[in-house]
Amino acid sequence: MDNVLTEQERIRREKVNYLKELGVEPFGHKYIRTDNSKTLVEKYDQYSKEELEEKKIPISIAGRMIAKRRQGKIGFINIQDRYGLVQCYIAKDMIGESNYDIFIKSDIGDILGIKGYVMRTNTNQLTVKCEEFTHLSKALRPLPEKFHGLQDVEEARRRRYVDLIVNEESRRVAFMRPKIIRAVQHFFDGEGYTEVETPVLQPILGGAAARPFVTHHNALDMEFYLRIATELPLKRLIVGGMERVYEIGRLFRNEGVDAKHNPEFTTVEAYQAYADMYDMMDLIENFFKSVCTEVLGTTTVEFDGHTYDLSKFKRVHMVDAIKDKVGVDFWQNMTFTEAKELAKAHGVEVPNHFTGVGHIINAFFEKYCEDDLVEPTLVYGHPVEISPLAKRNAKDPRFTDRFECYIGCTEYCNAFSELNDPIDQLNRFKEQLEERKLGNDEACEIDYDFVEALEYGMPPTGGIGIGIDRLVMLLTGKTNIRDVILFPHNRQRGNN
Protein backbone atom coordinates (compact mmCIF):
# COMPACT_ATOMS: atom_id res chain seq x y z
CA MET A 1 0.00 0.00 0.00
CA ASP A 2 1.35 3.43 -0.95
CA ASN A 3 2.17 5.81 1.88
CA VAL A 4 1.12 8.83 -0.18
CA LEU A 5 -2.49 9.76 0.58
CA THR A 6 -4.85 11.69 -1.63
CA GLU A 7 -6.34 14.90 -0.28
CA GLN A 8 -9.66 13.16 0.40
CA GLU A 9 -7.95 10.29 2.23
CA ARG A 10 -5.96 12.75 4.36
CA ILE A 11 -9.12 14.65 5.33
CA ARG A 12 -10.95 11.45 6.22
CA ARG A 13 -8.13 10.40 8.53
CA GLU A 14 -8.33 13.77 10.23
CA LYS A 15 -12.03 13.09 10.84
CA VAL A 16 -11.07 9.86 12.62
CA ASN A 17 -9.18 11.96 15.15
CA TYR A 18 -12.10 14.37 15.38
CA LEU A 19 -14.44 11.50 16.28
CA LYS A 20 -12.03 10.22 18.90
CA GLU A 21 -11.83 13.67 20.47
CA LEU A 22 -15.64 13.61 20.78
CA GLY A 23 -15.49 10.19 22.44
CA VAL A 24 -17.01 8.47 19.39
CA GLU A 25 -15.42 5.18 18.32
CA PRO A 26 -14.55 5.61 14.59
CA PHE A 27 -14.84 1.86 14.01
CA GLY A 28 -17.71 0.98 16.27
CA HIS A 29 -19.50 -1.92 17.86
CA LYS A 30 -22.60 -4.05 17.58
CA TYR A 31 -25.75 -2.28 16.48
CA ILE A 32 -29.24 -3.76 16.80
CA ARG A 33 -31.48 -3.33 13.76
CA THR A 34 -35.22 -3.87 13.78
CA ASP A 35 -35.65 -3.52 10.03
CA ASN A 36 -33.98 -3.19 6.65
CA SER A 37 -34.83 -1.72 3.26
CA LYS A 38 -36.89 -4.79 2.35
CA THR A 39 -38.98 -5.08 5.52
CA LEU A 40 -39.53 -1.32 5.55
CA VAL A 41 -41.57 -1.64 2.36
CA GLU A 42 -43.17 -4.97 3.27
CA LYS A 43 -44.41 -3.74 6.66
CA TYR A 44 -45.16 -0.08 6.14
CA ASP A 45 -45.92 0.61 2.47
CA GLN A 46 -49.60 -0.07 3.19
CA TYR A 47 -49.90 3.02 5.40
CA SER A 48 -50.66 6.55 4.27
CA LYS A 49 -48.68 9.59 5.36
CA GLU A 50 -51.32 10.49 7.93
CA GLU A 51 -51.50 6.95 9.33
CA LEU A 52 -47.73 6.82 9.77
CA GLU A 53 -47.74 10.19 11.56
CA GLU A 54 -50.43 8.92 13.90
CA LYS A 55 -48.84 5.53 14.58
CA LYS A 56 -45.27 6.88 14.93
CA ILE A 57 -43.79 3.39 14.40
CA PRO A 58 -40.28 3.05 15.92
CA ILE A 59 -37.56 1.64 13.67
CA SER A 60 -33.82 1.00 13.72
CA ILE A 61 -31.77 0.51 10.55
CA ALA A 62 -28.10 0.53 9.60
CA GLY A 63 -26.07 0.60 6.43
CA ARG A 64 -23.64 2.49 4.23
CA MET A 65 -24.37 6.11 3.37
CA ILE A 66 -24.20 6.45 -0.40
CA ALA A 67 -25.97 9.80 -0.87
CA LYS A 68 -26.21 12.96 1.26
CA ARG A 69 -28.14 16.19 0.77
CA ARG A 70 -28.08 18.95 3.37
CA GLN A 71 -29.56 22.40 3.67
CA GLY A 72 -29.03 24.34 6.85
CA LYS A 73 -30.39 22.48 9.85
CA ILE A 74 -31.90 19.54 7.97
CA GLY A 75 -30.60 16.87 5.62
CA PHE A 76 -31.48 13.67 3.77
CA ILE A 77 -29.27 10.62 3.35
CA ASN A 78 -29.64 7.30 1.55
CA ILE A 79 -28.56 4.24 3.51
CA GLN A 80 -27.71 1.08 1.54
CA ASP A 81 -28.05 -2.41 3.03
CA ARG A 82 -28.07 -5.85 1.40
CA TYR A 83 -31.56 -5.40 -0.02
CA GLY A 84 -31.48 -1.83 -1.27
CA LEU A 85 -31.84 1.78 -0.14
CA VAL A 86 -33.56 3.59 2.73
CA GLN A 87 -34.01 7.33 2.79
CA CYS A 88 -33.50 9.02 6.14
CA TYR A 89 -34.44 12.52 7.28
CA ILE A 90 -32.00 14.22 9.66
CA ALA A 91 -32.89 17.35 11.60
CA LYS A 92 -30.61 19.23 14.00
CA ASP A 93 -33.40 19.92 16.49
CA MET A 94 -34.14 16.18 16.75
CA ILE A 95 -30.65 14.65 17.13
CA GLY A 96 -28.89 17.53 18.91
CA GLU A 97 -26.12 19.89 17.92
CA SER A 98 -23.14 17.58 18.58
CA ASN A 99 -24.65 14.66 16.68
CA TYR A 100 -25.68 16.99 13.86
CA ASP A 101 -22.09 18.17 13.64
CA ILE A 102 -21.00 14.52 13.31
CA PHE A 103 -23.59 14.14 10.57
CA ILE A 104 -22.25 17.24 8.78
CA LYS A 105 -18.72 15.83 8.84
CA SER A 106 -19.80 12.33 7.75
CA ASP A 107 -18.64 11.14 4.33
CA ILE A 108 -20.16 9.08 1.56
CA GLY A 109 -19.19 5.50 2.37
CA ASP A 110 -19.46 5.83 6.15
CA ILE A 111 -21.55 3.17 7.90
CA LEU A 112 -24.29 4.60 10.09
CA GLY A 113 -27.06 3.52 12.44
CA ILE A 114 -30.38 5.37 12.40
CA LYS A 115 -33.15 5.11 15.00
CA GLY A 116 -36.43 6.94 14.61
CA TYR A 117 -39.84 6.32 13.15
CA VAL A 118 -41.38 5.76 9.75
CA MET A 119 -42.82 8.69 7.79
CA ARG A 120 -43.66 9.72 4.26
CA THR A 121 -42.25 12.81 2.60
CA ASN A 122 -44.32 15.25 0.57
CA THR A 123 -43.41 13.16 -2.49
CA ASN A 124 -44.87 10.12 -0.66
CA GLN A 125 -41.52 8.30 -0.25
CA LEU A 126 -41.14 6.02 2.77
CA THR A 127 -38.48 7.59 4.98
CA VAL A 128 -36.99 7.08 8.43
CA LYS A 129 -37.18 10.25 10.51
CA CYS A 130 -34.03 10.14 12.63
CA GLU A 131 -34.19 10.59 16.39
CA GLU A 132 -30.85 8.95 17.18
CA PHE A 133 -27.82 9.18 14.84
CA THR A 134 -24.98 6.68 15.44
CA HIS A 135 -21.64 6.64 13.64
CA LEU A 136 -20.60 3.00 13.23
CA SER A 137 -17.59 2.84 10.91
CA LYS A 138 -15.48 5.43 9.08
CA ALA A 139 -14.70 4.92 5.39
CA LEU A 140 -11.10 6.05 4.88
CA ARG A 141 -11.28 5.80 1.09
CA PRO A 142 -13.87 7.53 -1.09
CA LEU A 143 -16.16 5.47 -3.29
CA PRO A 144 -15.94 5.76 -7.08
CA GLU A 145 -17.80 8.67 -8.60
CA LYS A 146 -21.54 8.22 -8.14
CA PHE A 147 -22.78 8.02 -11.73
CA HIS A 148 -19.94 6.06 -13.29
CA GLY A 149 -18.79 3.66 -10.59
CA LEU A 150 -15.97 1.30 -11.49
CA GLN A 151 -15.67 1.73 -15.25
CA ASP A 152 -12.62 -0.53 -15.47
CA VAL A 153 -14.16 -4.03 -15.40
CA GLU A 154 -10.83 -5.60 -14.46
CA GLU A 155 -10.57 -3.24 -11.50
CA ALA A 156 -14.14 -4.12 -10.54
CA ARG A 157 -13.21 -7.80 -10.46
CA ARG A 158 -10.08 -7.12 -8.42
CA ARG A 159 -11.91 -4.93 -5.92
CA ARG A 160 -15.17 -6.83 -5.78
CA TYR A 161 -15.91 -5.31 -2.37
CA VAL A 162 -16.11 -1.87 -4.00
CA ASP A 163 -17.96 -3.22 -7.03
CA LEU A 164 -20.66 -4.66 -4.76
CA ILE A 165 -21.12 -1.30 -3.05
CA VAL A 166 -21.54 0.78 -6.21
CA ASN A 167 -22.94 -1.70 -8.74
CA GLU A 168 -26.49 -2.92 -8.29
CA GLU A 169 -26.08 -5.48 -11.08
CA SER A 170 -23.10 -7.06 -9.32
CA ARG A 171 -25.15 -7.36 -6.14
CA ARG A 172 -27.98 -8.98 -8.10
CA VAL A 173 -25.64 -11.65 -9.48
CA ALA A 174 -23.96 -12.19 -6.10
CA PHE A 175 -27.29 -12.97 -4.44
CA MET A 176 -28.62 -14.93 -7.44
CA ARG A 177 -25.73 -17.41 -7.47
CA PRO A 178 -26.55 -19.07 -4.11
CA LYS A 179 -30.21 -19.26 -5.12
CA ILE A 180 -29.19 -21.17 -8.23
CA ILE A 181 -26.99 -23.53 -6.19
CA ARG A 182 -29.89 -24.14 -3.77
CA ALA A 183 -32.10 -24.98 -6.77
CA VAL A 184 -29.46 -27.47 -7.97
CA GLN A 185 -29.46 -29.12 -4.54
CA HIS A 186 -33.26 -29.19 -4.44
CA PHE A 187 -33.33 -30.95 -7.81
CA PHE A 188 -30.86 -33.69 -6.94
CA ASP A 189 -32.28 -34.13 -3.43
CA GLY A 190 -35.71 -34.51 -5.01
CA GLU A 191 -34.36 -37.20 -7.33
CA GLY A 192 -33.14 -39.26 -4.36
CA TYR A 193 -29.44 -38.38 -4.57
CA THR A 194 -27.25 -37.99 -1.48
CA GLU A 195 -24.92 -34.98 -1.33
CA VAL A 196 -21.37 -35.96 -0.34
CA GLU A 197 -17.87 -34.47 -0.05
CA THR A 198 -14.68 -35.90 -1.53
CA PRO A 199 -11.01 -34.85 -1.17
CA VAL A 200 -9.64 -31.76 -2.89
CA LEU A 201 -6.08 -33.05 -2.54
CA GLN A 202 -5.62 -36.15 -4.68
CA PRO A 203 -2.50 -38.29 -5.14
CA ILE A 204 -3.44 -39.43 -8.69
CA LEU A 205 -4.34 -37.22 -11.65
CA GLY A 206 -7.64 -38.45 -13.05
CA GLY A 207 -11.30 -37.93 -13.80
CA ALA A 208 -10.79 -35.50 -16.69
CA ALA A 209 -8.33 -34.32 -19.31
CA ALA A 210 -6.72 -31.21 -17.84
CA ARG A 211 -3.45 -29.77 -16.57
CA PRO A 212 -3.33 -29.78 -12.76
CA PHE A 213 -1.97 -27.61 -9.98
CA VAL A 214 0.63 -29.54 -7.97
CA THR A 215 1.39 -29.10 -4.29
CA HIS A 216 3.51 -30.87 -1.67
CA HIS A 217 2.32 -32.35 1.62
CA ASN A 218 5.18 -31.96 4.10
CA ALA A 219 4.09 -34.49 6.74
CA LEU A 220 3.49 -37.27 4.20
CA ASP A 221 6.34 -36.07 1.96
CA MET A 222 4.09 -36.59 -1.07
CA GLU A 223 3.11 -34.66 -4.16
CA PHE A 224 -0.63 -34.01 -4.44
CA TYR A 225 -2.82 -32.54 -7.15
CA LEU A 226 -5.62 -30.08 -6.55
CA ARG A 227 -8.46 -32.09 -8.03
CA ILE A 228 -9.42 -31.55 -11.65
CA ALA A 229 -12.62 -33.58 -11.22
CA THR A 230 -14.66 -35.31 -8.51
CA GLU A 231 -15.49 -38.29 -10.72
CA LEU A 232 -13.32 -41.14 -9.45
CA PRO A 233 -14.04 -40.72 -5.70
CA LEU A 234 -17.77 -40.45 -6.42
CA LYS A 235 -17.73 -43.66 -8.46
CA ARG A 236 -15.98 -45.39 -5.56
CA LEU A 237 -19.08 -44.49 -3.52
CA ILE A 238 -21.25 -46.19 -6.16
CA VAL A 239 -19.09 -49.29 -5.70
CA GLY A 240 -19.72 -48.92 -1.97
CA GLY A 241 -23.45 -49.13 -2.50
CA MET A 242 -24.60 -45.50 -2.05
CA GLU A 243 -26.31 -45.81 -5.49
CA ARG A 244 -27.13 -42.11 -6.05
CA VAL A 245 -24.60 -39.45 -5.04
CA TYR A 246 -23.73 -35.91 -6.05
CA GLU A 247 -21.19 -33.29 -5.07
CA ILE A 248 -21.07 -29.55 -5.65
CA GLY A 249 -17.39 -28.76 -5.45
CA ARG A 250 -14.47 -26.60 -6.50
CA LEU A 251 -12.17 -27.89 -9.20
CA PHE A 252 -8.75 -26.54 -10.20
CA ARG A 253 -7.22 -26.63 -13.68
CA ASN A 254 -3.89 -25.01 -14.48
CA GLU A 255 -5.01 -23.63 -17.81
CA GLY A 256 -5.83 -20.38 -19.58
CA VAL A 257 -8.22 -17.67 -18.43
CA ASP A 258 -10.90 -16.38 -20.79
CA ALA A 259 -14.59 -15.50 -20.85
CA LYS A 260 -15.59 -19.15 -20.19
CA HIS A 261 -12.65 -20.44 -18.13
CA ASN A 262 -11.27 -19.66 -14.68
CA PRO A 263 -8.54 -21.81 -13.08
CA GLU A 264 -10.76 -22.32 -10.02
CA PHE A 265 -14.37 -23.16 -10.79
CA THR A 266 -17.41 -25.07 -9.51
CA THR A 267 -19.22 -28.12 -10.84
CA VAL A 268 -21.85 -30.56 -9.72
CA GLU A 269 -21.18 -34.21 -10.53
CA ALA A 270 -23.83 -36.89 -10.01
CA TYR A 271 -23.80 -40.68 -10.38
CA GLN A 272 -26.71 -43.08 -10.48
CA ALA A 273 -26.42 -46.86 -10.22
CA TYR A 274 -28.36 -49.01 -12.71
CA ALA A 275 -28.63 -46.09 -15.16
CA ASP A 276 -27.01 -45.20 -18.49
CA MET A 277 -26.36 -42.29 -20.83
CA TYR A 278 -29.99 -42.06 -21.88
CA ASP A 279 -31.11 -41.72 -18.26
CA MET A 280 -28.57 -38.91 -17.93
CA MET A 281 -30.03 -37.25 -21.04
CA ASP A 282 -33.45 -37.28 -19.40
CA LEU A 283 -31.86 -36.07 -16.17
CA ILE A 284 -30.16 -33.02 -17.72
CA GLU A 285 -33.32 -31.99 -19.55
CA ASN A 286 -35.34 -32.22 -16.33
CA PHE A 287 -32.50 -30.47 -14.49
CA PHE A 288 -32.71 -27.38 -16.68
CA LYS A 289 -36.49 -27.30 -16.47
CA SER A 290 -36.46 -27.60 -12.67
CA VAL A 291 -33.63 -25.20 -11.87
CA CYS A 292 -34.74 -22.53 -14.34
CA THR A 293 -38.34 -22.69 -13.17
CA GLU A 294 -37.36 -22.43 -9.50
CA VAL A 295 -34.97 -19.52 -10.08
CA LEU A 296 -36.65 -17.60 -12.92
CA GLY A 297 -40.22 -18.88 -12.91
CA THR A 298 -39.87 -19.98 -16.56
CA THR A 299 -37.84 -22.26 -18.81
CA THR A 300 -37.23 -19.44 -21.30
CA VAL A 301 -33.89 -17.66 -20.91
CA GLU A 302 -32.56 -14.49 -22.55
CA PHE A 303 -28.81 -14.72 -23.04
CA ASP A 304 -26.40 -12.69 -25.16
CA GLY A 305 -29.14 -11.44 -27.48
CA HIS A 306 -30.77 -14.84 -28.00
CA THR A 307 -33.84 -16.52 -26.47
CA TYR A 308 -33.51 -20.17 -25.43
CA ASP A 309 -36.31 -22.55 -24.52
CA LEU A 310 -34.69 -24.93 -22.04
CA SER A 311 -37.64 -27.31 -22.16
CA LYS A 312 -36.63 -28.46 -25.66
CA PHE A 313 -33.35 -30.22 -26.52
CA LYS A 314 -32.20 -31.77 -29.78
CA ARG A 315 -30.14 -34.96 -29.75
CA VAL A 316 -27.51 -35.56 -32.43
CA HIS A 317 -24.66 -38.04 -32.87
CA MET A 318 -21.22 -36.45 -33.26
CA VAL A 319 -20.55 -38.33 -36.53
CA ASP A 320 -23.89 -37.20 -37.99
CA ALA A 321 -23.13 -33.60 -37.06
CA ILE A 322 -19.80 -33.80 -38.92
CA LYS A 323 -21.39 -35.50 -41.92
CA ASP A 324 -24.14 -32.86 -42.15
CA LYS A 325 -21.67 -29.96 -41.89
CA VAL A 326 -18.59 -31.18 -43.80
CA GLY A 327 -19.81 -34.15 -45.82
CA VAL A 328 -17.19 -36.47 -44.31
CA ASP A 329 -18.69 -39.81 -43.23
CA PHE A 330 -16.84 -41.23 -40.24
CA TRP A 331 -19.38 -44.05 -39.97
CA GLN A 332 -17.28 -45.71 -42.67
CA ASN A 333 -14.44 -47.86 -41.38
CA MET A 334 -11.08 -46.29 -42.18
CA THR A 335 -7.46 -46.49 -41.11
CA PHE A 336 -5.68 -43.84 -39.11
CA THR A 337 -3.69 -42.96 -42.23
CA GLU A 338 -6.88 -42.44 -44.23
CA ALA A 339 -8.32 -40.28 -41.47
CA LYS A 340 -5.15 -38.16 -41.39
CA GLU A 341 -5.49 -37.58 -45.13
CA LEU A 342 -9.05 -36.38 -44.62
CA ALA A 343 -7.85 -34.08 -41.85
CA LYS A 344 -5.15 -32.63 -44.10
CA ALA A 345 -7.65 -32.03 -46.88
CA HIS A 346 -9.98 -30.15 -44.51
CA GLY A 347 -7.38 -28.13 -42.62
CA VAL A 348 -7.69 -30.10 -39.38
CA GLU A 349 -4.49 -30.27 -37.32
CA VAL A 350 -3.20 -33.69 -36.19
CA PRO A 351 -0.89 -33.31 -33.15
CA ASN A 352 1.75 -35.93 -32.38
CA HIS A 353 -0.24 -37.47 -29.52
CA PHE A 354 -3.20 -38.35 -31.79
CA THR A 355 -3.09 -42.12 -32.06
CA GLY A 356 -6.47 -43.10 -33.50
CA VAL A 357 -9.27 -42.15 -35.85
CA GLY A 358 -11.34 -41.04 -32.85
CA HIS A 359 -8.95 -38.19 -32.11
CA ILE A 360 -9.45 -36.88 -35.64
CA ILE A 361 -13.24 -37.24 -35.44
CA ASN A 362 -13.24 -35.06 -32.33
CA ALA A 363 -10.93 -32.52 -34.00
CA PHE A 364 -13.34 -32.30 -36.95
CA PHE A 365 -16.24 -31.76 -34.57
CA GLU A 366 -14.45 -29.01 -32.63
CA LYS A 367 -13.37 -27.20 -35.79
CA TYR A 368 -16.57 -27.40 -37.82
CA CYS A 369 -19.54 -28.17 -35.57
CA GLU A 370 -19.29 -26.59 -32.12
CA ASP A 371 -20.04 -23.08 -33.37
CA ASP A 372 -23.31 -24.30 -34.92
CA LEU A 373 -24.74 -25.63 -31.66
CA VAL A 374 -26.81 -22.57 -30.79
CA GLU A 375 -30.09 -24.20 -29.72
CA PRO A 376 -30.05 -26.55 -26.70
CA THR A 377 -28.46 -29.74 -28.04
CA LEU A 378 -27.18 -33.03 -26.64
CA VAL A 379 -24.26 -34.30 -28.76
CA TYR A 380 -23.53 -37.99 -28.14
CA GLY A 381 -21.33 -40.79 -29.47
CA HIS A 382 -17.85 -39.53 -28.58
CA PRO A 383 -14.94 -41.71 -29.81
CA VAL A 384 -13.37 -44.07 -27.32
CA GLU A 385 -9.93 -42.44 -27.72
CA ILE A 386 -11.14 -39.24 -26.03
CA SER A 387 -13.41 -40.92 -23.46
CA PRO A 388 -11.20 -43.00 -21.12
CA LEU A 389 -13.88 -43.33 -18.43
CA ALA A 390 -16.96 -44.01 -20.60
CA LYS A 391 -18.50 -47.34 -21.56
CA ARG A 392 -18.15 -48.44 -25.18
CA ASN A 393 -21.26 -48.43 -27.30
CA ALA A 394 -22.60 -51.99 -27.54
CA LYS A 395 -23.31 -51.73 -31.30
CA ASP A 396 -20.19 -49.83 -32.37
CA PRO A 397 -17.24 -50.10 -29.96
CA ARG A 398 -15.38 -47.30 -31.77
CA PHE A 399 -17.66 -44.93 -29.89
CA THR A 400 -18.80 -44.52 -26.31
CA ASP A 401 -22.17 -43.86 -24.70
CA ARG A 402 -21.23 -40.30 -23.84
CA PHE A 403 -22.85 -36.92 -24.50
CA GLU A 404 -22.21 -33.23 -23.98
CA CYS A 405 -24.86 -30.53 -23.61
CA TYR A 406 -24.49 -27.35 -25.68
CA ILE A 407 -26.46 -24.11 -25.40
CA GLY A 408 -25.41 -21.06 -27.39
CA CYS A 409 -22.30 -22.89 -28.70
CA THR A 410 -21.10 -23.40 -25.11
CA GLU A 411 -20.69 -26.74 -23.34
CA TYR A 412 -22.65 -27.02 -20.09
CA CYS A 413 -22.29 -30.67 -19.15
CA ASN A 414 -20.49 -33.91 -19.88
CA ALA A 415 -22.11 -37.27 -19.18
CA PHE A 416 -21.90 -40.95 -20.02
CA SER A 417 -22.60 -44.54 -19.22
CA GLU A 418 -19.72 -45.20 -16.87
CA LEU A 419 -17.05 -47.72 -17.74
CA ASN A 420 -17.34 -50.42 -15.08
CA ASP A 421 -15.11 -53.09 -16.68
CA PRO A 422 -11.87 -53.02 -14.64
CA ILE A 423 -9.86 -54.77 -17.37
CA ASP A 424 -10.95 -52.32 -20.06
CA GLN A 425 -10.45 -49.42 -17.61
CA LEU A 426 -6.83 -50.43 -16.91
CA ASN A 427 -6.15 -50.67 -20.63
CA ARG A 428 -7.65 -47.22 -21.19
CA PHE A 429 -5.46 -45.80 -18.44
CA LYS A 430 -2.42 -47.37 -20.12
CA GLU A 431 -3.41 -45.77 -23.42
CA GLN A 432 -3.63 -42.43 -21.64
CA LEU A 433 -0.13 -43.01 -20.29
CA GLU A 434 1.14 -43.53 -23.84
CA GLU A 435 -0.51 -40.27 -24.90
CA ARG A 436 1.25 -38.50 -22.04
CA LYS A 437 4.60 -39.85 -23.29
CA LEU A 438 3.75 -38.49 -26.75
CA GLY A 439 3.17 -34.99 -25.39
CA ASN A 440 -0.43 -34.85 -24.14
CA ASP A 441 0.09 -33.30 -20.71
CA GLU A 442 -3.69 -33.44 -20.07
CA ALA A 443 -3.79 -37.26 -20.19
CA CYS A 444 -4.80 -39.18 -17.07
CA GLU A 445 -2.49 -41.21 -14.87
CA ILE A 446 -3.17 -44.82 -13.90
CA ASP A 447 -5.30 -44.92 -10.76
CA TYR A 448 -4.70 -48.50 -9.61
CA ASP A 449 -6.85 -48.01 -6.51
CA PHE A 450 -9.80 -47.06 -8.71
CA VAL A 451 -9.23 -50.13 -10.88
CA GLU A 452 -9.18 -52.22 -7.70
CA ALA A 453 -12.47 -50.64 -6.64
CA LEU A 454 -14.00 -51.67 -9.97
CA GLU A 455 -12.74 -55.21 -9.42
CA TYR A 456 -15.10 -55.44 -6.44
CA GLY A 457 -17.92 -54.74 -8.89
CA MET A 458 -19.58 -51.47 -9.87
CA PRO A 459 -23.16 -51.72 -11.13
CA PRO A 460 -24.05 -50.23 -14.52
CA THR A 461 -23.96 -46.51 -13.79
CA GLY A 462 -24.82 -43.21 -15.43
CA GLY A 463 -22.83 -40.13 -14.51
CA ILE A 464 -22.94 -36.42 -15.30
CA GLY A 465 -20.90 -33.29 -14.61
CA ILE A 466 -22.43 -29.80 -14.95
CA GLY A 467 -20.58 -26.48 -14.85
CA ILE A 468 -22.14 -24.34 -12.12
CA ASP A 469 -20.42 -21.11 -13.17
CA ARG A 470 -21.66 -21.40 -16.75
CA LEU A 471 -25.13 -22.22 -15.45
CA VAL A 472 -25.05 -19.04 -13.35
CA MET A 473 -23.87 -17.10 -16.42
CA LEU A 474 -26.82 -18.43 -18.42
CA LEU A 475 -29.43 -17.63 -15.77
CA THR A 476 -28.07 -14.17 -14.95
CA GLY A 477 -27.29 -13.12 -18.52
CA LYS A 478 -23.55 -12.69 -17.95
CA THR A 479 -21.17 -13.48 -20.82
CA ASN A 480 -17.95 -13.54 -18.77
CA ILE A 481 -17.32 -16.19 -16.11
CA ARG A 482 -15.43 -13.70 -13.95
CA ASP A 483 -18.64 -11.72 -13.50
CA VAL A 484 -20.35 -14.64 -11.73
CA ILE A 485 -17.40 -15.55 -9.48
CA LEU A 486 -17.02 -13.20 -6.53
CA PHE A 487 -13.24 -13.42 -6.49
CA PRO A 488 -11.95 -14.43 -9.94
CA HIS A 489 -8.25 -14.79 -10.61
CA ASN A 490 -6.51 -11.84 -12.24
CA ARG A 491 -2.97 -10.88 -13.06
CA GLN A 492 -1.19 -9.21 -10.16
CA ARG A 493 -1.22 -5.44 -10.06
CA GLY A 494 0.50 -3.23 -7.52
CA ASN A 495 -1.63 -1.88 -4.69
CA ASN A 496 -2.88 1.65 -5.16
Side-chain angles (χ1 to χ4, degrees):
M1 181 180 293
D2 292 340
N3 293 322
V4 179
L5 301 176
T6 66
E7 180 68 10
Q8 282 200 53
E9 290 169 347
R10 184 186 61 77
I11 292 172
R12 287 176 180 237
R13 279 164 172 74
E14 290 174 357
K15 290 179 180 179
V16 168
N17 294 327
Y18 163 78
L19 290 169
K20 289 180 178 178
E21 290 171 1
L22 292 179
V24 176
E25 172 56 54
F27 307 99
H29 304 288
K30 175 180 176 179
Y31 189 84
I32 297 175
R33 299 183 291 179
T34 62
D35 287 278
N36 54 54
S37 58
K38 182 180 179 182
T39 61
L40 181 73
V41 174
E42 292 174 344
K43 292 161 64 173
Y44 308 119
D45 196 45
Q46 60 184 302
Y47 298 117
S48 67
K49 180 178 181 180
E50 293 73 23
E51 288 172 325
L52 289 173
E53 288 177 353
E54 180 182 346
K55 291 178 179 293
K56 202 171 183 179
I57 303 168
I59 190 173
S60 173
I61 64 164
R64 187 181 301 275
M65 182 173 68
I66 63 166
K68 178 181 179 182
R69 309 175 300 284
R70 188 177 67 84
Q71 184 175 6
K73 297 180 181 181
I74 65 168
F76 286 90
I77 62 174
N78 287 342
I79 294 291
Q80 177 177 284
D81 59 26
R82 65 178 292 189
Y83 298 108
L85 300 176
V86 179
Q87 178 173 271
C88 303
Y89 169 77
I90 315 287
K92 182 176 181 179
D93 61 356
M94 292 192 69
I95 65 173
E97 185 171 346
S98 61
N99 276 329
Y100 195 74
D101 193 45
I102 294 173
F103 161 66
I104 291 174
K105 288 184 168 61
S106 63
D107 292 303
I108 299 299
D110 288 356
I111 297 173
L112 308 172
I114 303 293
K115 288 184 181 179
Y117 56 89
V118 185
M119 59 172 276
R120 285 190 185 275
T121 62
N122 290 332
T123 59
N124 209 37
Q125 182 174 349
L126 279 176
T127 301
V128 178
K129 189 170 187 177
C130 179
E131 291 185 315
E132 183 179 313
F133 180 93
T134 304
H135 172 89
L136 292 175
S137 188
K138 186 67 188 171
L140 299 183
R141 288 180 180 242
L143 295 175
E145 198 273 324
K146 173 180 174 183
F147 294 104
H148 299 290
L150 282 172
Q151 292 299 292
D152 184 341
V153 293
E154 291 304 317
E155 200 61 29
R157 292 162 183 160
R158 281 188 177 87
R159 294 193 169 101
R160 185 68 80 195
Y161 42 90
V162 179
D163 184 40
L164 290 169
I165 295 171
V166 301
N167 191 332
E168 184 177 348
E169 177 64 12
S170 293
R171 291 194 299 275
R172 181 187 73 87
V173 174
F175 286 115
M176 181 71 81
R177 182 182 176 109
K179 291 181 181 178
I180 294 170
I181 292 175
R182 294 293 87 74
V184 171
Q185 290 174 309
H186 294 159
F187 172 76
F188 282 107
D189 291 345
E191 293 291 319
Y193 287 75
T194 299
E195 186 174 11
V196 297
E197 295 176 302
T198 62
V200 172
L201 292 176
Q202 298 184 346
I204 299 293
L205 181 65
R211 296 178 63 181
F213 289 94
V214 184
T215 188
H216 185 79
H217 191 292
N218 292 330
L220 296 177
D221 193 23
M222 286 176 58
E223 297 295 307
F224 279 87
Y225 300 104
L226 296 182
R227 66 186 181 191
I228 61 172
T230 53
E231 178 166 344
L232 300 187
L234 289 174
K235 288 200 283 193
R236 287 174 169 91
L237 298 180
I238 297 297
V239 172
M242 294 190 71
E243 294 194 356
R244 294 193 183 200
V245 294
Y246 77 97
E247 178 174 12
I248 299 173
R250 285 279 182 160
L251 304 182
F252 308 85
R253 297 184 181 179
N254 197 354
E255 299 170 345
V257 176
D258 60 28
K260 297 178 182 177
H261 297 87
N262 192 67
E264 181 179 354
F265 61 101
T266 305
T267 67
V268 56
E269 288 196 39
Y271 294 87
Q272 178 180 334
Y274 310 106
D276 64 8
M277 176 188 73
Y278 296 101
D279 294 301
M280 295 299 104
M281 285 180 165
D282 294 339
L283 184 82
I284 193 63
E285 293 180 1
N286 291 331
F287 171 88
F288 274 108
K289 292 177 189 175
S290 174
V291 172
C292 292
T293 300
E294 179 173 335
V295 175
L296 302 177
T298 178
T299 59
T300 301
V301 175
E302 301 287 337
F303 182 76
D304 198 21
H306 195 92
T307 301
Y308 300 100
D309 184 352
L310 300 182
S311 67
K312 299 176 182 178
F313 283 80
K314 296 187 296 183
R315 300 183 183 187
V316 59
H317 195 286
M318 180 181 285
V319 169
D320 290 331
I322 296 169
K323 185 177 179 180
D324 290 343
K325 183 63 184 289
V326 189
V328 175
D329 186 4
F330 282 109
W331 287 119
Q332 303 299 318
N333 285 313
M334 65 182 69
T335 66
F336 184 44
T337 300
E338 291 169 336
K340 285 195 290 185
E341 288 299 317
L342 284 171
K344 183 178 180 181
H346 289 83
V348 175
E349 294 185 10
V350 181
N352 188 50
H353 66 266
F354 279 18
T355 58
V357 176
H359 286 118
I360 294 174
I361 292 174
N362 187 61
F364 263 85
F365 174 77
E366 290 180 345
K367 181 177 178 66
Y368 288 108
C369 301
E370 280 190 340
D371 290 342
D372 288 342
L373 300 173
V374 177
E375 296 303 320
T377 306
L378 306 183
V379 178
Y380 65 99
H382 295 59
V384 68
E385 290 91 336
I386 64 164
S387 310
L389 297 166
K391 185 185 284 289
R392 294 176 188 266
N393 181 265
K395 296 180 179 178
D396 193 336
R398 296 175 299 170
F399 304 101
T400 61
D401 288 338
R402 172 188 174 188
F403 75 88
E404 292 175 310
C405 172
Y406 287 87
I407 303 168
C409 309
T410 296
E411 178 198 336
Y412 283 84
C413 88
N414 186 24
F416 33 85
S417 301
E418 302 297 332
L419 177 59
N420 61 341
D421 178 343
I423 298 171
D424 190 3
Q425 182 65 83
L426 181 58
N427 290 333
R428 303 265 199 104
F429 278 149
K430 289 178 178 178
E431 290 167 2
Q432 287 282 296
L433 207 59
E434 289 302 312
E435 284 192 32
R436 179 176 287 272
K437 291 177 182 178
L438 293 172
N440 183 6
D441 55 7
E442 294 186 353
C444 298
E445 296 179 346
I446 299 179
D447 189 336
Y448 287 105
D449 180 78
F450 178 67
V451 174
E452 180 179 319
L454 293 183
E455 290 174 348
Y456 282 94
M458 185 174 84
T461 298
I464 193 166
I466 305 165
I468 293 293
D469 306 292
R470 292 184 182 181
L471 176 66
V472 176
M473 289 169 63
L474 180 66
L475 299 189
T476 59
K478 293 299 176 182
T479 57
N480 194 305
I481 193 172
R482 287 182 287 172
D483 292 330
V484 301
I485 297 175
L486 285 176
F487 298 101
H489 295 284
N490 299 283
R491 292 189 185 276
Q492 286 289 97
R493 180 184 292 180
N495 291 327
N496 295 325

